[in-house]
Amino acid sequence: MGSLLSFTILGLFTGAAYAIAASGLVLTYTTTRVFNIAHGAFGMVLAFTFWDFSQRQGLPLWLSLVLVLGVVAPAIGWFIQRFVTRGLGEGPVSVSLVVTVGLFVGLIGLAQFVWPPEPRVVPPFMAASGIQLGSTYVTAHQIITIVLSGVVAIALYALLNRTRVGTAMRASVDNPELLKLFGGRPDTVAALSWAIGISLAALAGILLSPVIGLAYYDLTLLVINAYAAAMLGRLKSLPLTFVGAMGLGILQSFAVAYLPSDGFMSGIRAVVPALFLFVVIVAMPQAQLRIGQVKGIVSAPLPSTPKALGWGAGLLLLVALLAGAMGDADLLLVGTAATYAMVMLSLVLLTGYGGHVSLAQFTFAGVGALAYAKLDEPNLYGLLLSALIAAGVGALVALPVLRLTGLYLALSTLAFGVLMDKMIFQAEFAFGFNGTLQAERMSILGLQVASTAGYVLLMAGFLVAMALALLWMRRGVLGRVLIAMRDSPAACGTLGLDMRWFRVGLFGLSAGMAGLAGGLFAGLRGTIGAADFQFFNSLPLLLLAVVCGVTSVTGATLGGIGLMLLPVLQSSRPELAGLVFAVLGFGAVALGRDPNGLANLLFKLGRWLDAEIGPRVRSRLPVLPGRAQPAELPASGSVDEPLDLDRAAAHELYPPAPAATSPVSPPHQEVPAHAR
Amino acid sequence: MSIPILEICDLHAAYGRIEVLRGVDLKVPKGAVMALLGPNGAGKSTLVKVVSGQKKATSGDIHLGGVHVQNAGSEELARLGLCTVPEGRSVFPNLTVEENLTLMSYAGVPTDAVLETAYSYFPRLAERRNQLAGTMSGGEQQMLAMSRALSSDPALLLLDELSMGLAPLIVDELYDTVAQIAESGVSILCIEQFARTALRVADYAAVMTGGRIVATGEPAEVLETMSDVILGGAA
Amino acid sequence: MLGRSSSRPEGGGRRASRHAAVGGRPLLEVEDVVVQFGGVTAVNEAAFSVDAGRITGLIGPNGAGKTTCFNVITGLQKPTRGRVWLDGRNVTSMPVHRRAHRGIARTFQRLEAFGSLTVRENVRVAFDIHRGITGLVRPVAADIDALLERVGIAAYAAERADSIPTGTARLLELARALAGDPKLLLLDEPSSGLDETETDAFGDLLIELAGEGRAILMVEHDMDLVMRVCDDIHVLDFGSVIASGSPADIRNDPAVQQAYLGYADEADEADQAGEADRGAGAGVAYAESAVETTRTDLQPVGAALGAAPVGAADETTVLPAVPPAPREVNQ
């Protein structure tokens, strides 16, 4: 039974580290309502900092530890609360998710920039010591970790229940306004809980790094384990979080010990935390609809159909010109940009219109590509079938979280991404371990599009068609209901909309769009593998989409080009690779609050130009009959301009009743009374 | 007359485009109890929010003890000696009685002193020190809320609708406490929709309607002249 | 004041109760519902019923649990205990949208209009949802216009819903609720934000809607309106129903007066000696409603509850454009 004991101790050790990280996560979430996706990334960066202090600069171990846990980490936590996440808790969950994903990506980029890849070792604490328990040797580092987790648990309990500031932390969850009237400072309290939370992330990172190594991604993604543990305590109970963390640690350890080390089942070992997270989320109780949501969110203006057609034709023309002029290597990049743009269009639907966040959109593209390659039907039928399969998978991911809301949906996509990455895509029936698959370029109506130029043009055609379809949808019933759902879920529910299934459908549709892009991408490249659809790449995708404007087709197109350029930039200046990520991540942090992004700035610029120069140009043109720019002229720069077609039609058919005949007073009747 | 403890000049405040305070002028003399009366929707609670720093005024001035306190946050004002008991539940329901009292020490009085004062005034709170505040009766919750006013020795006490949701007997009891606090020299501005309870302890009264103060004076006069507005047909 | 529509039955079953109205079970029955938030009991064994074709008022001081009751009935809030029956069917655990399909519609005290859509689109979405997302084959333009016209907001059709006055937005929510042709209409403070004329027109509309056989349950602070249009009234205090009956019954019920007025005259107190067992739940000062709702009816409920409205009521019902100059009696 020696192995059972040793695996239990190993499990307790990892569980203890998870518990430390997870209690920090729970602390920050309960006091500020911001779910910090970047919790693990902070742990990673601070573990690197610890290495820097203790190994590179040679400070004594204890001093480095005190500096990191007592100074650097709390300072970062304070700074983040003060300048980044303050006030995010009351906003829509999609914004706080995007901002913390921005931190996540930015921190990884920062770490790569400051500490370029090279082997680094953080020695375990008291490396030489340990005790012998029967046939099992327990290292001092393991004992220290387990003891520390207990100390953290007790200290947090004492803080929250026995001190005034801890009491204030709990009070500020209930009613920060009242706390202020008491003379307390909710902001200080929040900053303190972030300081402690980040310190705990750092402690967990430092304790784990001797075991799993100083790696950018491994340490960062450990956060998923912390999520899973925290989720067991429903993000509020510290004791349950502790239990969850220990249980997960032991489960993971046993999975390594007792599951077969080859074959399909071996994949499970790597995804135990993701599965755990999935199961816990599914078991969460039904969320109740929130009343008093954020409403009337402004979104980017909707172009009129002729305008959209015009831009679409322009884009096609441009791609056709490029196809004629460029070499195959450059054309591959153009095709890649088109793929990314299509995946981003799927985010426009899901995030921009629907207000949901997917952290694994690339994985859906991967499903589409895999299906396309496996089907081996290089034609329209095969492509559509691939998209349908991806849509089905998307719906399947959303299905278990049918009853839950934004945050949990996003987290379940995260678990799904990891699951696919480590288990499915690597499996023999898929791409195989580090393997690739061949995919043929498709033929349309028997006409094989073999040349890269032709194929890229075809992809551009799909992009334009998808964009037009999306705009058409936005104008119709679906778009209206989506906006309504975003403005007031409670009202939609009481009007009889089954939002659960609607959400599943929306998710499926969005995954299908990504899948279609994936299928086309497979044809473009000819050879694809799991590496093309790594889960992590979904995060920069999301960020670029938000930065460029996730509410508009223009934003998606810009984002697609931007995402294609990222690796190009990175390979041309490898030393700046991390910096690019950092800029993107922190850019998203800065811009995350406005999902209309850069595209909206362009629109504003366009309107400004239109207003400044337009009249002069138009005065020299013959007057065009019919509908001349009804929508864009007013100063509704940031205002949604829905359905100008419908409105125009309605006005023609049913002219609005004159205000005087209405039983209700005319608009703004009370203005005079309030004017002074 | 010495400097009034609270002086409000031409105060305006709005929710969005709807102006709720339309030029409020009010003085509370030092050491006096002022009852602010007025019908539903007159803007009384908004006035409390602006004075206590929970809401920004659009224009106008507020002087607290002669100091101009325009953009101070509510926590700063609280530490300066303004004690606000807002309407409704002004305790933390998921904390115990003792934890609630602990938080009251933020106003500057040590925790032990707060506990002592609260328990000596309201022995019932001592019995329930480990009970969650939210599980107590409304009257007991208001006692807990009043403990803050009692223990912190404020420069000005703002009471918003103390009687809301309480039985008359308990309201009487609470106003006895208010009278006690007043006797110790604390200036009080108490907002009530129902006049008689508040007028029992008030030195002065003001009537607010439509976002303005329409009358001020001694309780008897105000009650007589403005009874229509304040009480409607209720009395 | 307008007379009641003659199509509705007068008398007979004016006394609402949890017992069946004449001719079958009530449309809605709320059975001993309890709602607790943390340690706070918002609704405490509330029990009342609503009959088809009648307007039922749900009144009570602020914080009495009226809106929470609405949330329980529509399914937005799960009750800790108790049951809700619609048409003789237990709907307590039915999801929100399915209750809507069974004929429950509501408006909200804190507005839930779709702010980034126009007024017309708001109603259109309601039709879309009601007829199923795929029901786009059927043109609804005429229906939408008829509804906007009926509620009286046709003039605002093209305005964005977050830019219209509060009162209009409440009517918009009513129009939206009516798109599904509900059997039971729940209105949460529908008249706040309306001026006197608008409130009158609104009252007429309610009577008309009830005349079509709909049950209307209304939370309302404007006692004039309540007394005028309601057939039955339930008074909620501390989460419990302390009185049910016709407007006249309610007006004369000492417990209600006590609950609303908070301060009883000596004479009343003597009358209410027997009420002592109601303990802490006995008296409730009528509290100021949230200023955010921008109420314009300024009179305390007492004015309307008292046998005769006082002369001052006219002055206080409408915000005076120029209020009387402050009278400096002292100082």
Side-chain angles (χ1 to χ4, degrees):
Chain A
M1 286 318 282
S3 70
L4 179 66
L5 181 66
S6 60
F7 279 114
T8 306
I9 288 178
L10 200 64
L12 284 178
F13 161 70
T14 43
Y18 298 163
I20 293 171
S23 39
L25 186 70
V26 170
L27 188 68
T28 50
Y29 181 73
T30 48
T31 49
T32 57
R33 291 277 172 257
V34 175
F35 190 86
N36 186 10
I37 296 270
H39 197 68
F42 281 111
M44 179 270 296
V45 163
L46 288 162
F48 271 93
T49 313
F50 175 70
W51 170 85
D52 200 281
F53 286 176
S54 64
Q55 306 298 313
R56 198 174 69 83
Q57 304 182 26
L59 298 181
L61 217 57
W62 66 269
L63 182 63
S64 317
L65 201 62
V66 168
L67 277 180
V68 171
L69 298 183
V71 181
V72 182
I76 291 177
W78 176 85
F79 178 86
I80 295 290
Q81 196 281 327
R82 195 66 5 156
F83 298 105
V84 179
T85 60
R86 190 187 205 164
L88 280 187
E90 288 99 56
V93 72
S94 59
V95 173
S96 65
L97 277 173
V98 166
V99 167
T100 54
V101 167
L103 284 174
F104 182 114
V105 171
L107 286 170
I108 288 180
L110 188 73
Q112 288 175 338
F113 181 67
V114 178
W115 299 284
E118 67 176 63
R120 294 184 182 84
V121 180
V122 175
F125 292 125
M126 302 165 72
S129 353
I131 50 169
Q132 194 74 31
L133 270 185
S135 59
T136 307
Y137 182 74
V138 188
T139 65
H141 186 82
Q142 288 171 332
I143 296 172
I144 289 172
T145 306
I146 295 168
V147 169
L148 271 179
S149 73
V151 170
V152 164
I154 293 167
L156 275 183
Y157 179 83
L159 172 76
L160 289 175
N161 292 288
R162 292 280 177 272
T163 66
R164 188 175 75 170
V165 70
T167 311
M169 279 181 186
R170 287 188 293 140
S172 73
V173 183
D174 278 347
N175 192 343
E177 280 305 309
L178 185 61
L179 184 61
K180 281 191 193 172
L181 291 179
F182 272 57
R185 297 189 169 121
D187 271 335
T188 312
V189 165
L192 180 68
S193 69
W194 271 82
I196 296 173
I198 300 293
S199 271
L200 291 176
L203 182 59
I206 291 169
L207 287 171
L208 279 170
S209 54
V211 183
I212 62 173
L214 261 185
Y216 310 115
Y217 292 90
D218 291 356
L219 275 173
T220 300
L221 289 177
L222 270 178
V223 75
I224 292 173
N225 309 9
Y227 297 159
M231 217 51 92
L232 189 72
R234 293 191 197 169
L235 291 175
K236 46 184 185 215
S237 159
L238 282 173
L240 270 180
T241 301
F242 197 80
V243 170
M246 287 301 186
L248 178 58
I250 291 174
L251 202 66
Q252 212 179 355
S253 173
F254 284 180
V256 171
Y258 300 112
L259 284 178
S261 59
D262 58 294
F264 179 63
M265 290 302 279
S266 69
I268 291 184
R269 303 194 302 180
V271 295
V272 166
L275 280 174
F276 189 92
L277 178 62
F278 225 55
V279 170
V280 175
I281 288 181
V282 169
M284 294 280 286
Q286 166 115 41
Q288 283 180 342
L289 286 178
R290 262 176 73 190
I291 308 179
Q293 280 271 12
V294 218
K295 47 201 80 161
I297 304 165
V298 288
S299 37
L302 203 59
S304 62
T305 308
K307 210 168 173 180
L309 284 172
W311 279 102
L315 185 68
L316 279 180
L317 195 69
L318 180 71
V319 173
L321 287 175
L322 289 178
M326 280 177 158
D328 269 14
D330 285 338
L331 276 175
L332 274 179
L333 287 180
V334 175
T336 308
T339 308
Y340 293 161
M342 277 186 268
V343 180
M344 286 195 186
L345 278 182
S346 75
L347 280 180
V348 170
L349 175 69
L350 185 70
T351 310
Y353 297 168
H356 292 292
V357 173
S358 160
L359 300 176
Q361 209 61 9
F362 248 129
T363 309
F364 293 118
V367 172
L370 179 62
Y372 182 80
K374 280 282 171 187
L375 281 172
D376 201 20
E377 288 258 8
N379 51 39
L380 211 52
Y381 164 75
L383 184 69
L384 290 181
L385 201 58
S386 315
L388 266 181
I389 290 171
V393 172
L396 219 57
V397 174
L399 203 57
V401 288
L402 203 62
R403 306 159 303 126
L404 301 172
T405 45
L407 175 63
Y408 302 103
L409 189 58
L411 288 182
S412 74
T413 60
L414 186 87
F416 166 75
V418 173
L419 215 69
M420 293 300 280
D421 231 20
K422 297 203 171 158
M423 196 164 147
I424 308 293
F425 283 164
Q426 304 273 349
E428 276 314 310
F429 63 80
F431 296 115
F433 186 69
N434 287 343
T436 54
L437 285 177
Q438 304 299 316
E440 244 181 277
R441 286 184 182 164
M442 61 183 277
S443 57
I444 284 193
L445 307 172
L447 191 73
Q448 168 93 28
V449 187
S451 78
T452 303
Y455 195 81
V456 166
L457 192 60
L458 178 74
M459 289 181 79
F462 268 102
L463 172 64
V464 169
M466 201 187 264
L468 289 176
L470 192 66
L471 288 175
W472 173 78
M473 205 153 61
R474 167 70 178 74
R475 283 207 177 81
V477 180
L478 201 63
R480 239 181 348 253
V481 172
L482 273 176
I483 303 288
M485 212 161 86
R486 203 189 54 186
D487 280 1
S488 171
C492 280
T494 53
L495 287 173
L497 178 67
D498 187 353
M499 274 169 289
R500 305 172 308 170
W501 290 103
F502 196 79
R503 204 160 11 147
V504 170
L506 175 69
F507 219 82
L509 189 58
S510 161
M513 288 167 69
L516 186 83
L520 283 169
F521 184 65
L524 176 75
R525 296 283 294 271
T527 310
I528 45 153
D532 292 318
F533 301 103
Q534 268 175 0
F535 151 72
F536 178 78
N537 290 339
S538 295
L539 301 181
L541 174 90
L542 173 69
L543 295 181
L544 256 177
V546 170
V547 167
C548 292
V550 77
T551 54
S552 62
V553 169
T554 313
T557 314
L558 287 179
I561 297 168
L563 192 62
M564 174 273 288
L565 287 176
L566 266 191
V568 177
L569 238 133
Q570 281 174 322
S571 54
S572 65
R573 302 285 299 276
E575 73 279 9
L576 293 184
L579 199 63
V580 171
F581 268 129
V583 167
L584 172 62
F586 299 132
V589 169
L591 293 172
R593 283 163 209 248
D594 176 17
N596 296 325
L598 297 177
N600 208 37
L601 293 181
L602 268 184
F603 299 149
K604 278 184 189 157
L605 183 71
R607 271 191 298 272
W608 179 80
L609 284 177
D610 191 47
E612 292 288 309
I613 302 166
R616 265 176 276 163
V617 177
R618 268 191 292 275
S619 64
R620 296 180 196 176
L621 288 175
V623 178
L624 292 172
R627 353 182 309 103
Q629 69 282 344
E632 301 88 16
L633 267 186
S636 57
S638 52
V639 171
D640 205 5
E641 276 296 349
L643 310 166
D644 50 342
L645 269 177
D646 285 14
R647 200 191 287 181
H651 275 265
E652 278 166 38
L653 290 172
Y654 313 98
T661 65
S662 159
V664 189
S665 57
H668 318 306
Q669 174 243 23
E670 82 273 70
V671 166
H674 297 297
R676 40 256 201 64
Chain B
M1 197 157 90
S2 64
I3 302 168
I5 188 75
L6 175 70
E7 187 171 7
I8 300 169
C9 298
D10 195 28
L11 194 69
H12 290 254
Y15 289 97
R17 294 189 307 201
I18 294 132
E19 193 167 40
V20 181
L21 299 185
R22 308 170 177 187
V24 174
D25 293 291
L26 185 68
K27 275 182 204 163
V28 179
K30 205 167 244 167
V33 179
M34 164 84 80
L36 179 61
L37 313 165
N40 203 359
K44 304 187 299 292
S45 285
T46 309
L47 182 64
V48 171
K49 283 200 176 124
V50 174
V51 172
S52 64
Q54 291 171 278
K55 180 170 170 50
K56 281 218 159 43
T58 37
S59 69
D61 300 291
I62 300 171
H63 296 268
L64 199 61
V67 183
H68 191 233
V69 287
Q70 204 59 76
N71 287 316
S74 48
E75 71 273 29
E76 290 168 84
L77 291 170
R79 289 174 187 227
L80 282 174
L82 173 69
C83 179
T84 311
V85 180
E87 72 177 333
R89 300 192 181 93
S90 49
V91 297
F92 295 103
N94 292 321
L95 301 186
T96 65
V97 169
E98 193 146 317
E99 284 170 337
N100 267 283
L101 291 168
T102 308
L103 291 179
M104 290 173 192
S105 63
Y106 272 116
V109 178
T111 310
D112 292 343
V114 175
L115 294 179
E116 204 189 305
T117 319
Y119 292 159
S120 63
Y121 266 98
F122 304 114
R124 231 184 307 176
L125 293 181
E127 290 165 27
R128 310 199 160 206
R129 64 176 71 200
N130 291 321
Q131 193 176 334
L132 290 185
T135 61
M136 300 197 300
S137 76
E140 286 162 339
Q141 292 191 25
Q142 281 300 43
M143 285 177 194
L144 182 54
M146 289 293 288
S147 301
R148 190 154 54 90
L150 282 165
S151 62
S152 61
D153 188 27
L156 174 66
L157 176 58
L158 265 180
L159 296 172
D160 191 4
E161 300 276 2
L162 199 57
S163 67
M164 176 171 162
L166 297 176
L169 263 180
I170 294 171
V171 174
D172 276 351
E173 230 175 280
L174 283 173
Y175 270 94
D176 287 341
T177 315
V178 173
Q180 274 179 327
I181 298 174
E183 271 165 38
S184 70
V186 174
S187 319
I188 302 177
L189 176 60
C190 79
I191 280 83
E192 272 294 341
Q193 186 172 9
F194 294 100
R196 293 197 178 172
T197 13
L199 290 182
R200 198 158 58 80
V201 298
D203 303 313
Y204 303 100
V207 178
M208 192 169 181
T209 186
R212 288 188 183 91
I213 303 288
V214 294
T216 53
E218 291 193 354
E221 290 170 306
V222 166
L223 188 64
E224 193 185 314
T225 52
M226 299 302 290
S227 66
D228 287 351
V229 178
I230 309 161
L231 298 172
Chain C
M1 201 172 278
L2 286 137
R4 287 165 188 277
S5 137
S6 57
S7 63
R8 292 188 311 147
E10 280 286 329
R14 282 213 65 101
R15 177 104 209 161
S17 69
R18 72 189 71 171
H19 304 297
V22 187
R25 296 187 71 160
L27 182 69
L28 173 78
E29 287 167 283
V30 172
E31 188 186 315
D32 301 328
V33 163
V34 178
V35 180
Q36 287 170 328
F37 301 114
V40 185
T41 303
V43 177
N44 191 10
E45 310 225 319
F48 57 88
S49 63
V50 178
D51 290 323
R54 296 170 75 85
I55 304 176
T56 307
L58 186 63
I59 63 171
N62 265 16
K66 302 178 299 278
T67 299
T68 310
C69 276
F70 269 27
N71 290 346
V72 168
I73 296 169
T74 46
L76 290 172
Q77 171 70 48
K78 225 178 123 179
T80 316
R81 276 201 304 282
R83 276 176 289 191
V84 179
W85 299 81
L86 182 72
D87 244 351
R89 190 190 160 109
N90 185 352
V91 296
T92 317
S93 52
M94 195 181 268
V96 180
H97 65 273
R98 284 189 45 213
R99 297 191 205 204
H101 288 305
R102 295 203 150 264
I104 302 184
R106 76 172 285 182
T107 66
F108 293 85
Q109 182 193 4
R110 292 189 59 182
L111 291 171
E112 293 277 343
F114 305 128
S116 37
L117 298 178
T118 65
V119 167
R120 195 164 200 288
E121 285 166 342
N122 263 269
V123 178
R124 190 167 171 172
V125 165
F127 273 107
D128 287 340
I129 291 175
H130 179 62
R131 292 177 179 172
I133 303 297
T134 49
L136 37 159
V137 274
R138 186 163 167 193
V140 291
D143 297 347
I144 296 171
D145 286 307
L147 198 48
L148 290 175
E149 200 65 56
R150 179 171 199 192
V151 174
I153 53 172
Y156 294 87
E159 303 258 338
R160 228 175 102 111
D162 58 5
S163 69
I164 58 177
T166 319
T168 314
R170 291 191 186 282
L171 293 175
L172 166 60
E173 287 201 357
L174 173 62
R176 216 171 51 178
L178 286 174
D181 192 21
K183 280 192 276 193
L184 171 64
L185 193 55
L186 306 176
L187 305 174
D188 202 344
E189 300 207 13
S191 85
S192 66
L194 299 181
D195 69 23
E196 229 175 339
T197 341
E198 290 165 348
T199 306
D200 277 351
F202 175 71
D204 294 342
L205 175 62
L206 286 187
I207 292 174
E208 201 182 296
L209 289 170
E212 292 165 1
R214 288 180 224 282
I216 298 178
L217 179 64
M218 171 168 79
V219 167
E220 183 52 63
H221 283 311
D222 181 343
M223 284 302 136
D224 276 342
L225 178 66
V226 169
M227 294 294 161
R228 185 189 137 209
V229 304
C230 287
D231 302 287
D232 311 303
I233 294 176
H234 303 292
V235 185
L236 212 56
D237 190 16
F238 279 96
S240 307
V241 176
I242 59 162
S244 294
S246 69
D249 296 339
I250 294 300
R251 204 191 304 256
N252 299 321
D253 191 318
V256 176
Q257 297 210 336
Q258 172 109 357
Y260 257 105
L261 307 182
Y263 193 90
D265 287 338
E266 266 84 353
D268 288 338
E269 262 166 335
D271 287 344
Q272 286 152 11
E275 298 283 334
D277 60 323
R278 293 204 303 119
V284 173
Y286 182 70
E288 184 172 5
S289 91
V291 182
E292 289 87 334
T293 58
T294 68
R295 297 171 49 75
T296 51
D297 52 325
L298 287 171
Q299 86 242 58
V301 175
L305 273 175
V310 289
D314 286 340
E315 262 175 57
T316 53
T317 325
V318 190
L319 279 176
V322 183
R327 267 180 270 178
E328 292 280 332
V329 185
N330 201 356
Q331 281 181 348

